[in-house]
Amino acid sequence: MSRVLTTPEPAGLRLVLADGRASLLLVPRLGLALPRYHFRLGRVVHAAAELDLFRVQTTLLLGNDHTGSAELAELRTAAGLSEADQGAALSLLIAAAQARLSERPADFGGWLVAELPGWVDDAQRSPFWQALGARFYPADPAEAERRFGADWRSHLAALLPRQTLYLSFLGEEAERRVLDVNEQARPALTALQAAGFLPPVHARIDDGGPVLAWPVPSAR
Amino acid sequence: MNHLLLRPVAEADLPTLVRMAAASADGISSLPSDEAKLATRISASLQSFASPDDASGEETYLFVLEDTAAGRAGRVVGCSGIAASAGFFDRFYSYRNEFVVHASAALGVSRRMHTLHLCHDLTGATLLTSFYLDPDYEQGPAAQLLSRARLLFIRAHAERFSERIAAESPGITDAAGQSPFWDAVGRRFFGMDYPQAEVIVGGRSKAFIADLMPPSPIHVALLPEAAQWALGQLHPVGELPFSILQDEGFDADSYVDIFDGGPTVEAPLASLRSVRLAREVVVQGDDALVRGPSELALLACTERARFRAVLADVGAQVDAATAARVGAQPGERLVMTPLQTQEAA
């Protein structure tokens, strides 16, 4: 088993497998300088017994729920690894990060979260973006992400609706794909789920990718 | 033109109203297409006109337009109504158009976004309702008399009405009766077609229905293009009454119907043209004394129980023959407002 090397960086701790197969950045508390936004998925029932109507709607609410949580960011694996090897390599780093949080809970937020990129089709189009973000930001999101990095989503939030949105307004494809991951992130998703991360209730605001969260045991 | 008479509805008008309700397109008219319901509307109107009590707000008034020309035997060719207080038994729902600027300095984007807010703003406003005119009479001033005489009635009995007047107009639908706005909004919450919803909703209050609609604002940018386009668009049958209200000075940009997206106009009573330009005229017994310039006008005897309105040439005074058309005697005061829709420069 490969050793985990830990290097402090301004933004957090860089965890790298000594054999170079994977790395990630463990951020102690996210969103304290530039606010971070996610959509929280909720459920609303509109019922009218007299009309024999009972409709369940999924809602999206823009918020900063994970402010102060610890984060696993910049999950990366070496090129050429099989999905199983990517998952195994990331699992080692995730376990190391979880151990660190359990040992020194005071240094981190009470939850450990990880954002994963959302589903795109073969042409790299995100149906969630097409149905929502594109209606509010009339330029290329990839270009903006190259320019601002992950911070781009904090800027995007300023353009998005603040009030509860009904997912059904976004159309069937976006509805089906919200919380679904990009194929390339599937090993990471599997590794996070295996490490005890809970089923996502938050989505990334640009592509609808899932935000997984793990409650730090000692913090509960 | 001198053969048209607007008067309160009478019990004998029921068969005519049944015919008019059937002739107006499904789900478009605010006339119920059900004989028993129409009979109820008539008796409610009779009661409202007859009642000397202070208004409670639940009153509805129905007027009919009669063609008194020889050979037509008092044929009723149109109707129009007033509901004293919108949503009297409950809340009255509308979508209010609001514009919010979404801006990000970092991204260099600033956009004016259109949102629809579910609101009760027009609850309690007086509603102009039930406009229907036989197609044969659409060319000419009949529609003006039918629509605007209501404003003279409201002006004369202001204590019975709100200072704010509103009117709903049918939104656009396709040939199959489907509403693009409904398909994008209401359907998601009702899971049914617009015509079907109209049937189920029937005479129920919209407040009841609105419990099924989302309480948060709707971002127009998220709606399909057809629905965005349909927003605020009129059904063709609504064009004539809508144009009259526009000429009156109603604001058509603030509210839309929560179901079909049709425009709901509103304005303070005092700002409306017919009301601003209305003046009292005295019936002169001696025709020789009726002189001076005259103009084409709506002329009304505004007394509650014997309200009548006609189109006539009116000057500073009214001759006895003209007054007789609205059932008035020499010495009485009538109210006129110019027919002309353009204001003199």
Side-chain angles (χ1 to χ4, degrees):
Chain A
M1 195 190 260
S2 182
R3 220 154 42 86
V4 176
L5 309 174
T6 303
T7 321
E9 290 186 8
L13 295 173
R14 181 73 61 183
L15 306 189
V16 182
L17 282 185
D19 60 15
R21 282 184 304 154
S23 69
L24 59 75
L25 181 68
L26 173 58
V27 179
R29 296 179 197 278
L30 69 80
L32 295 184
L34 187 64
R36 279 279 283 281
Y37 294 85
H38 296 115
F39 279 123
R40 183 169 68 224
L41 277 81
R43 187 165 285 180
V44 170
V45 175
H46 292 253
E50 288 167 71
L51 294 184
D52 199 22
L53 281 173
F54 190 93
R55 318 247 335 151
V56 179
Q57 298 275 347
T58 300
T59 54
L60 300 173
L61 182 61
L62 190 64
N64 310 102
D65 288 356
H66 280 307
T67 302
S69 294
E71 183 184 22
L72 295 178
E74 301 175 21
L75 278 70
R76 286 175 194 145
T77 51
L81 290 182
S82 71
E83 284 205 8
D85 287 347
Q86 292 177 50
L90 287 170
S91 289
L92 292 174
L93 293 178
I94 293 165
Q98 286 174 312
R100 181 109 188 169
L101 263 71
S102 299
E103 282 160 22
R104 312 182 62 171
D107 294 351
F108 299 91
W111 287 80
L112 179 61
V113 304
E115 270 185 23
L116 295 176
W119 190 88
V120 292
D121 66 14
D122 293 340
Q124 300 300 302
R125 281 164 32 106
S126 157
F128 189 84
W129 170 260
Q130 295 296 331
L132 180 51
R135 313 289 181 106
F136 294 88
Y137 179 63
D140 181 12
E143 173 63 39
E145 188 157 8
R146 272 194 294 278
R147 189 166 150 217
F148 292 100
D151 286 355
W152 119 263
R153 278 178 282 275
S154 293
H155 301 312
L156 171 64
L159 300 176
L160 295 178
R162 288 295 169 135
Q163 304 90 348
T164 302
L165 295 173
Y166 282 68
L167 183 60
S168 66
F169 276 99
L170 305 189
E172 278 171 27
E173 206 191 352
E175 208 171 342
R176 202 169 56 244
R177 293 300 183 182
V178 70
L179 298 182
D180 202 356
V181 284
N182 189 304
E183 286 307 320
Q184 293 178 355
R186 213 161 281 286
L189 174 67
T190 309
L192 290 164
Q193 286 170 333
F197 280 68
L198 302 176
V201 292
H202 290 87
R204 285 221 304 200
I205 63 173
D206 56 346
D207 58 16
V211 181
L212 287 91
W214 177 73
V216 182
S218 53
R220 275 188 294 190
Chain B
M1 186 188 84
N2 287 350
H3 49 89
L4 296 169
L5 170 69
L6 182 115
R7 59 163 173 83
V9 74
E11 261 171 37
D13 295 320
L14 180 59
T16 313
L17 286 189
V18 171
R19 176 180 63 78
M20 292 194 296
S24 51
D26 277 340
I28 287 168
S29 161
S30 53
L31 282 178
S33 53
D34 172 302
E35 185 162 346
K37 282 182 186 156
L38 284 169
T40 308
R41 288 282 293 273
I42 292 175
S43 60
S45 177
L46 292 173
Q47 210 175 334
S48 301
F49 277 108
S51 168
D53 301 339
D54 283 351
S56 69
E58 65 181 310
E59 298 86 4
T60 56
Y61 302 82
L62 202 54
F63 303 88
V64 293
L65 187 63
E66 204 179 293
D67 188 341
T68 60
R72 299 190 197 249
R75 182 167 170 248
V76 168
V77 299
C79 68
S80 63
I82 306 171
S85 176
F88 171 72
F89 291 108
D90 212 323
R91 297 148 288 173
F92 183 85
Y93 278 84
S94 318
Y95 275 132
R96 185 179 59 238
N97 291 308
E98 286 192 7
F99 294 86
V100 184
V101 175
H102 290 208
S104 163
L107 294 174
V109 173
S110 175
R111 309 188 84 196
R112 191 165 170 269
M113 305 304 293
H114 184 181
T115 57
L116 301 175
H117 292 246
L118 199 59
C119 73
H120 303 148
D121 287 10
L122 300 179
T123 301
T126 290
L127 275 186
L128 303 180
T129 65
S130 312
F131 184 96
Y132 177 80
L133 181 61
D134 271 355
D136 293 350
Y137 290 79
E138 279 178 6
Q139 309 296 324
Q144 300 284 334
L145 177 60
L146 183 56
S147 179
R148 294 163 57 195
R150 294 178 289 188
L151 300 174
L152 295 183
F153 184 79
I154 294 169
R155 174 184 176 275
H157 304 282
E159 73 287 352
R160 296 185 161 226
F161 300 101
S162 166
E163 289 167 5
R164 198 174 192 189
I165 314 297
E168 298 179 282
S169 294
I172 199 136
T173 53
D174 63 20
Q178 302 291 336
S179 152
F181 185 76
W182 170 266
D183 285 348
V185 181
R187 178 193 289 278
R188 300 189 196 285
F189 300 92
F190 286 81
M192 60 183 80
D193 285 352
Y194 188 59
Q196 196 187 350
E198 281 278 307
V199 172
I200 288 187
V201 170
R204 292 174 204 265
S205 91
K206 281 194 179 169
F208 168 74
I209 305 309
D211 288 343
L212 292 166
M213 307 283 274
S216 50
I218 290 180
H219 286 262
V220 173
L222 294 178
L223 301 178
E225 249 174 65
Q228 291 191 29
W229 180 81
L231 196 60
Q233 295 290 316
L234 273 178
H235 192 285
V237 304
E239 274 167 22
L240 176 61
F242 182 81
S243 69
I244 292 171
L245 298 178
Q246 266 194 320
D247 289 342
E248 280 293 331
F250 275 96
D251 165 29
D253 296 330
S254 298
Y255 301 96
V256 297
D257 183 81
I258 62 170
F259 291 157
D260 64 16
T264 298
V265 302
E266 61 92 25
L269 176 69
S271 75
L272 297 173
R273 227 185 59 89
S274 290
V275 173
R276 278 189 288 112
L277 302 183
R279 58 184 168 83
E280 302 213 323
V281 286
V282 177
V283 182
Q284 180 57 254
D286 182 351
D287 282 2
L289 295 177
V290 181
R291 284 194 223 95
S294 66
E295 61 183 322
L296 228 40
L298 276 74
L299 178 69
C301 167
T302 57
E303 208 177 289
R304 174 170 45 76
R306 47 186 275 251
F307 185 82
R308 295 280 186 283
V310 297
L311 296 165
D313 253 320
V314 181
Q317 292 171 317
V318 175
D319 63 61
T322 302
R325 291 176 51 213
V326 292
Q329 306 291 323
E332 284 195 76
R333 287 176 176 277
L334 303 178
V335 172
M336 69 80 82
T337 195
L339 174 65
Q340 194 80 1
T341 51
Q342 266 77 49
E343 269 177 73

